[in-house]
Amino acid sequence: MRIAIEGCGHGTLHAIYASITKTCQVQGWDGVDLLIIGGDFQAVRNSYDLNAMSVPAKYREIGDFHEYYSGTRVAPYLTLFVGGNHEASNHLWELYYGGWVAPNIYYLGAANVVNFGSLRVAGLSGIWAGYDYKKAHYERLPYGPNDVKSIYHVRELDTRKLLQIRTQVDVGISHDWPRKIEWQGDFNQLFRFKPHFKTDAQNGRLGSPAAKYVMDRLRPKWWFAAHLHCKYSAIVQFNRDADSTPAVNAIGAPYASGDTKNAQNTKEIDLGNDAEQPLDGDASGPPAKIRNNDEIDLDMEDDMPAVSELPWSNHGSTVAQASENSNSVPSDLRDQLPASFARPVPVSAPSVSHPEAITNETTHFLALDKCLSGRRFLQILDVDPVSRSSDTRANTQQSLTYDKEWLAITRAFRNINPLTSPVPYDHGESHYRPLIEAEEAWVEENIVKPGRMVIPEKFEITAPVYDPEVGLHPKEHPREYTNPQT
């Protein structure tokens, strides 16, 4: 199967599709079967959606997506994407569980697993902010200045669902890098290219713990990410009987002996097949944009949390309660309060061994840049899936289908409202497993056997299409629309 991987989309769909076409011509291919975009897709339907996107007003652009939304253009390749931190968040929230944003363009939702032909794909949207991780999705239109940022922060509940997967996945996608993945590649070269990454990496702050939790659990053959605007490849080796995390020293860097000036992962591979040149004169779309020397890095403006992040090293463990010394209320007075004032009792998740059906031991990580001239933003690959689930074996045609296990997980969690605070504690895999198994039986009888696994192409225009006369700075906030796919 031939797939294309794009880093950050940033609304440049015309150039991305044109770059794929040009690269396939160079390779002698007639196209690709699937395009994966690693976030910052910017599914902006109209000018009002820009008021729900975290971008300074002076840098606003309507982008290309509205032409695909309105039907003026149709995506030439099936396109999957996850959400990043520069999105029309009001639009994506309409499709929390995933859905079509335009014909042939599918958003994976906050978290999802789908199948395309024999390829099983898992996705996690958003970026990491520890202070929002345990919260519900509390943001409501009209979004305030804080809401447009917090709405794209990854949530524990969405991560928890992905951590219930017990069978092999081929591809993992996140916008943010999995935390500590930088130490699995040529980190010295990375720090020379992006010097400001070094301190965060040494302090263990670069990347997303949530993405790492999911990658370590699913162990896909490939993991694709974007966000940090550079190309970087690495290899993660897993051992079924040991922790996959590499040995690190006190500052988070791997232990090494001797000179580390040119240290790198010796098993790192060069994936090749880059599309890095401008496509002047390409009839299928405009060339990739020429770099602006005054360009600012929007992705770095708001990613640093304003408060200390919680130092979770294990997803299943609970956060320790504050020490009694820091409590200004004496215990005898606290005992006189009504029961509703009592601290909630954390539920410790029992330890569960790694699923036997997840057998892959090597994950190839690749992060890519955004679509600009001279940037390393595109990769085309010929992939051979490693998953052998009944879903992928049955899907002989290259169609986008639901995933039986994921549907069961979604049903098992359906009584937990992602909007409601507080979010219930994680009761552990041993609690959820029998619930999921019961739901799998339901899915088999009601979805699989009746032949309803193909994701229906039920896209409908919900919000108004782009009107240039409105301009890029309307005073009105976007309205809330009900999407028939959700």
Side-chain angles (χ1 to χ4, degrees):
M1 183 182 297
R2 293 170 175 174
I3 67 173
I5 314 300
E6 160 68 30
C8 296
H10 285 273
T12 59
L13 283 176
H14 300 344
I16 291 170
Y17 291 136
S19 297
I20 295 171
T21 300
K22 190 71 173 180
T23 304
C24 287
Q25 291 173 354
V26 173
Q27 293 295 118
W29 292 5
D30 58 0
V32 296
D33 303 306
L34 176 69
L35 165 63
I36 293 172
I37 298 180
D40 285 357
F41 182 86
Q42 298 184 4
V44 178
R45 301 163 294 186
N46 52 53
S47 301
Y48 303 103
D49 283 351
L50 292 171
N51 285 333
M53 188 163 70
S54 179
V55 171
K58 64 179 179 180
Y59 293 107
R60 286 184 176 182
E61 295 180 356
I62 195 64
D64 301 336
F65 171 76
H66 68 93
E67 296 188 38
Y68 300 86
Y69 174 76
S70 67
T72 304
R73 297 197 188 206
V74 177
Y77 311 106
L78 175 63
T79 304
L80 299 182
F81 73 96
V82 294
N85 57 314
H86 298 302
E87 303 287 3
S89 297
N90 60 315
H91 183 193
L92 298 190
W93 177 249
E94 295 176 15
L95 298 167
Y96 170 74
Y97 295 100
W100 303 99
V101 296
N104 222 29
I105 303 177
Y106 192 86
Y107 169 53
L108 286 171
N112 207 341
V113 180
V114 297
N115 297 286
F116 176 67
S118 58
L119 196 71
R120 195 174 186 216
V121 181
L124 177 67
S125 292
I127 66 169
W128 176 259
Y131 49 87
D132 280 333
Y133 184 59
K134 294 278 188 174
K135 294 179 182 178
H137 290 278
Y138 61 85
E139 299 84 3
R140 302 289 185 277
L141 285 170
Y143 299 146
N146 293 327
D147 296 332
V148 296
K149 297 181 183 299
S150 64
I151 193 169
Y152 55 69
H153 292 158
V154 66
R155 298 307 209 265
E156 184 274 335
L157 178 60
D158 304 319
T159 308
R160 190 192 311 178
K161 296 176 186 177
L162 284 170
L163 295 179
Q164 308 311 311
I165 292 289
R166 298 186 57 79
T167 54
Q168 188 65 59
V169 167
D170 297 302
V171 172
I173 313 167
S174 61
H175 183 60
D176 218 347
W177 294 17
R179 182 152 292 184
K180 296 187 178 181
I181 193 69
E182 68 275 12
W183 300 116
Q184 305 294 322
D186 188 353
F187 52 86
N188 283 322
Q189 192 278 337
L190 174 67
F191 298 154
R192 287 193 295 270
F193 181 60
K194 295 276 191 176
H196 53 290
F197 287 2
K198 187 173 183 178
T199 299
D200 283 341
Q202 290 177 331
N203 291 332
R205 290 170 55 91
L206 187 67
S208 167
K212 177 175 170 55
Y213 300 152
V214 177
M215 182 184 69
D216 289 354
R217 167 70 173 201
L218 304 187
R219 301 183 182 182
K221 186 174 182 180
W222 300 276
W223 189 282
F224 303 119
H227 188 46
L228 297 183
H229 293 174
C230 64
K231 179 179 180 180
Y232 191 66
S233 61
I235 290 206
V236 181
Q237 294 286 2
F238 297 101
N239 186 322
R240 289 194 61 81
D241 300 320
D243 183 4
S244 62
T245 305
V248 296
N249 60 29
I251 61 172
Y255 282 116
S257 58
D259 183 11
T260 60
K261 180 179 181 181
N262 297 310
Q264 69 179 68
N265 184 344
T266 58
K267 295 181 180 179
E268 179 187 352
I269 59 173
D270 183 2
L271 296 173
N273 295 338
D274 293 322
E276 302 173 7
Q277 301 302 320
L279 304 176
D280 298 327
D282 193 325
S284 60
K289 297 179 182 178
I290 302 300
R291 177 178 174 82
N292 181 351
N293 291 330
D294 295 325
E295 174 194 356
I296 65 168
D297 191 347
L298 297 177
D299 281 317
M300 300 306 295
E301 70 179 53
D302 54 10
D303 298 342
M304 291 299 101
V307 298
S308 299
E309 294 183 331
L310 298 176
W312 295 307
S313 59
N314 185 313
H315 179 83
S317 62
T318 56
V319 180
Q321 294 184 0
S323 67
E324 291 297 325
N325 292 335
S326 63
N327 187 354
S328 58
V329 181
S331 59
D332 57 337
L333 292 179
R334 180 174 293 277
D335 291 340
Q336 300 176 36
L337 294 173
S340 59
F341 283 80
R343 290 192 184 98
V345 179
V347 179
S348 298
S351 111
V352 178
S353 60
H354 198 78
E356 293 182 359
I358 298 179
T359 58
N360 183 55
E361 296 184 357
T362 304
T363 294
H364 302 268
F365 171 80
L366 177 66
L368 292 166
D369 206 335
K370 57 184 174 180
C371 183
L372 288 174
S373 178
R375 298 291 190 88
R376 309 175 80 180
F377 60 87
L378 183 68
Q379 193 89 46
I380 60 173
L381 300 172
D382 200 345
V383 299
D384 182 20
V386 294
S387 64
R388 294 293 182 267
S389 70
S390 58
D391 294 353
T392 58
R393 288 197 301 269
N395 190 11
T396 55
Q397 296 182 342
Q398 289 184 343
S399 55
L400 193 64
T401 63
Y402 295 116
D403 185 84
K404 177 182 175 181
E405 186 178 12
W406 182 252
L407 288 179
I409 291 169
T410 302
R411 284 184 57 83
F413 279 79
R414 68 187 182 277
N415 291 327
I416 301 178
N417 189 336
L419 303 172
T420 304
S421 296
V423 177
Y425 282 107
D426 183 350
H427 292 279
E429 186 178 350
S430 61
H431 169 80
Y432 298 116
R433 189 187 305 175
L435 303 177
I436 294 168
E437 290 174 348
E439 296 298 346
E440 279 198 80
W442 186 95
V443 172
E444 177 69 24
E445 291 297 321
N446 294 275
I447 306 295
V448 178
K449 288 183 178 180
R452 300 169 58 193
M453 290 296 283
V454 175
I455 298 177
E457 297 183 16
K458 294 172 59 177
F459 167 74
E460 293 183 16
I461 292 177
T462 52
V465 299
Y466 173 57
D467 180 359
E469 294 186 3
V470 174
L472 299 181
H473 305 280
K475 295 181 180 179
E476 297 87 355
H477 288 274
R479 292 175 55 192
E480 187 169 355
Y481 299 94
T482 299
N483 198 298
Q485 301 176 69
T486 301

